[in-house]
Amino acid sequence: MTTYGSFPGTRPRRLRSNPVMRRMVAETRLHPADLILPAFVREGVSEPVPIGAMPGVVQHTRDSLKKAAAEAVAAGISGIMLFGVPEESKKDALGTPGTDPDGILQVALRDVRSEVGDDLLVMSDLCLDETIDHGHCGVLDDQGRVDNDATLERYAEMAQVQADAGAHVVGPSGMMDGQIGVVRDALDQIGREDVAILAYTAKYASAFYGPFREAVGSSLKGDRKTYQQDPANVRESMRELALDLEEGADMVMVKPAGPYLDILARVADAVDVPVAAYQISGEYSMIEAAAEKGWIDRDRAIMESLTGIRRAGARSILTYWATEVAQQLRDQ
């Protein structure tokens, strides 16, 4: 006699039975257009300079940066975020290379725009840390503290020269109070209402920035805990979010991404503007290092980490794997 109604009648495993089934029911998908490539360009070098703490990432020459931008377009990603690394001798207490029209970042912006036009969003880091001799994100007062309002004046100048150099999007990343409003006003004053602002809304004082310090040749001694956010706090991020939106942010971002997926989800649920997340240098380097040791499957770990960021609510992801991953997605 046949017995029916065997337990369990509901079997979720049916929807995991083969690759086509899993693909059909997937709730979260990565697409090349979700990705933005952070890229470093270094003044005064004739060949790309490998970054020891970030295997596979380099400080570009002007020519190799243009090639990387063209590859990004071919891969279908949406943007490239540029960081300029000036010659050490040009750094000073005001971060002068950041407002010099011939500073390396402004030169690189013009190079990339001439190479890709509007086929790729050309984005610029708007911060002083790469250009200033003490490595902080702002100018210092006479007691050695980061002077918020004096720094805002420098950010306003930076925004204008970056817009003039061709930036579609500026990314104020220094976590100064009022930075979004000042940058928006500075851009509007020169008739650049078209330039968008990607606000680094929740930028935490993280240990995972370590490899980035090598990438930009940072001179920082100490930490940035007086202006970047405390990793223990959540409500603080939501307050920063409200302020950035009130000041005119077009997009908002959480940085780092992986250790702060809860913050990312809270931000994504709260707003109706695009939300980005930055998978930072330490996140990149940990996966690369573990894969080099043979401890994890590199490609699977990359995709899993990016899917988690996307699932948490990021519309756009800044990742050093952007072009590589986009190429893989297009080949699937």
Side-chain angles (χ1 to χ4, degrees), residues 203-223:
K203 184 178 181 182
Y204 283 87
S206 172
F208 293 94
Y209 296 130
F212 182 88
R213 305 276 167 81
E214 178 187 344
V216 297
S218 175
S219 307
L220 180 69
K221 301 293 189 295
D223 58 51

Side-chain angles (χ1 to χ4, degrees), residues 57-95:
V57 180
V58 301
Q59 294 171 326
H60 283 286
T61 67
R62 290 174 60 186
D63 285 341
S64 69
L65 178 65
K66 289 190 288 186
K67 181 180 178 182
E71 291 173 348
V73 171
I77 72 174
S78 288
I80 185 168
M81 173 68 79
L82 300 185
F83 297 84
V85 184
E87 293 180 353
E88 194 68 27
S89 63
K90 294 184 179 180
K91 295 181 180 181
D92 60 23
L94 294 177

Side-chain angles (χ1 to χ4, degrees), residues 1-319:
M1 182 176 180
T2 303
T3 301
Y4 297 96
S6 61
F7 180 84
T10 301
R11 297 180 182 269
R13 286 183 56 187
R14 295 186 188 110
L15 300 183
R16 307 170 197 149
S17 58
N18 61 60
V20 176
M21 177 67 80
R22 292 192 294 273
R23 184 180 66 191
M24 184 183 76
V25 302
E27 299 172 29
T28 303
R29 301 183 193 277
L30 286 172
H31 187 277
D34 299 334
L35 305 176
I36 296 167
L37 176 68
F40 308 101
V41 57
R42 179 171 169 178
E43 187 173 24
V45 295
S46 57
E47 298 290 337
V49 179
I51 299 168
M54 299 178 69
V57 180
V58 301
Q59 294 171 326
H60 283 286
T61 67
R62 290 174 60 186
D63 285 341
S64 69
L65 178 65
K66 289 190 288 186
K67 181 180 178 182
E71 291 173 348
V73 171
I77 72 174
S78 288
I80 185 168
M81 173 68 79
L82 300 185
F83 297 84
V85 184
E87 293 180 353
E88 194 68 27
S89 63
K90 294 184 179 180
K91 295 181 180 181
D92 60 23
L94 294 177
T96 299
T99 50
D100 181 354
D102 294 321
I104 183 59
L105 179 54
Q106 287 70 253
V107 170
L109 286 166
R110 292 194 290 271
D111 285 343
V112 174
R113 277 301 300 271
S114 68
E115 183 72 22
V116 302
D118 293 330
D119 292 337
L120 185 71
L121 284 177
V122 181
M123 313 167 92
S124 56
D125 179 59
L126 202 165
C127 193
L128 288 168
D129 60 326
E130 297 103 287
T131 62
I132 210 159
D133 56 12
H134 50 71
H136 274 288
C137 295
V139 297
L140 304 183
D141 63 17
D142 56 9
Q143 297 183 54
R145 302 169 302 188
V146 175
D147 187 324
N148 191 94
D149 295 0
T151 299
L152 293 182
E153 294 181 19
R154 300 292 294 135
Y155 286 1
E157 294 179 61
M158 291 182 76
Q160 292 176 341
V161 297
Q162 290 178 4
D164 286 343
H168 293 104
V169 180
V170 295
S173 61
M175 290 301 289
M176 296 298 116
D177 294 339
Q179 63 185 13
I180 302 304
V182 165
V183 167
R184 182 72 271 159
D185 186 55
L187 291 168
D188 292 352
Q189 283 182 17
I190 61 169
R192 296 308 307 271
E193 296 88 353
D194 58 315
V195 175
I197 298 176
L198 170 58
Y200 284 59
T201 291
K203 184 178 181 182
Y204 283 87
S206 172
F208 293 94
Y209 296 130
F212 182 88
R213 305 276 167 81
E214 178 187 344
V216 297
S218 175
S219 307
L220 180 69
K221 301 293 189 295
D223 58 51
R224 296 177 171 134
K225 293 180 180 179
T226 63
Y227 45 102
Q228 293 179 352
Q229 287 180 229
D230 185 340
N233 293 347
V234 176
R235 287 191 294 270
E236 184 178 26
S237 292
M238 305 312 291
R239 186 183 186 197
E240 292 279 6
L241 175 63
L243 289 168
D244 282 354
L245 293 174
E246 182 181 345
E247 292 174 25
D250 299 291
M251 300 171 277
V252 297
M253 184 158 68
V254 174
K255 180 181 181 182
Y260 297 91
L261 294 181
D262 59 325
I263 308 300
L264 176 57
R266 286 280 296 270
V267 169
D269 286 345
V271 301
D272 56 4
V273 299
V275 176
Y278 197 147
Q279 186 182 53
I280 67 169
S281 59
E283 299 174 73
Y284 172 93
S285 296
M286 286 193 301
I287 289 177
E288 290 287 351
E292 191 276 330
K293 291 283 190 180
W295 293 340
I296 60 173
D297 182 316
R298 176 184 180 274
D299 291 350
R300 287 184 60 196
I302 291 170
M303 289 296 188
E304 186 174 339
S305 67
L306 292 172
T307 300
I309 296 166
R310 183 74 179 83
R311 187 183 64 242
R315 175 68 271 174
S316 300
I317 305 171
L318 286 81
T319 175

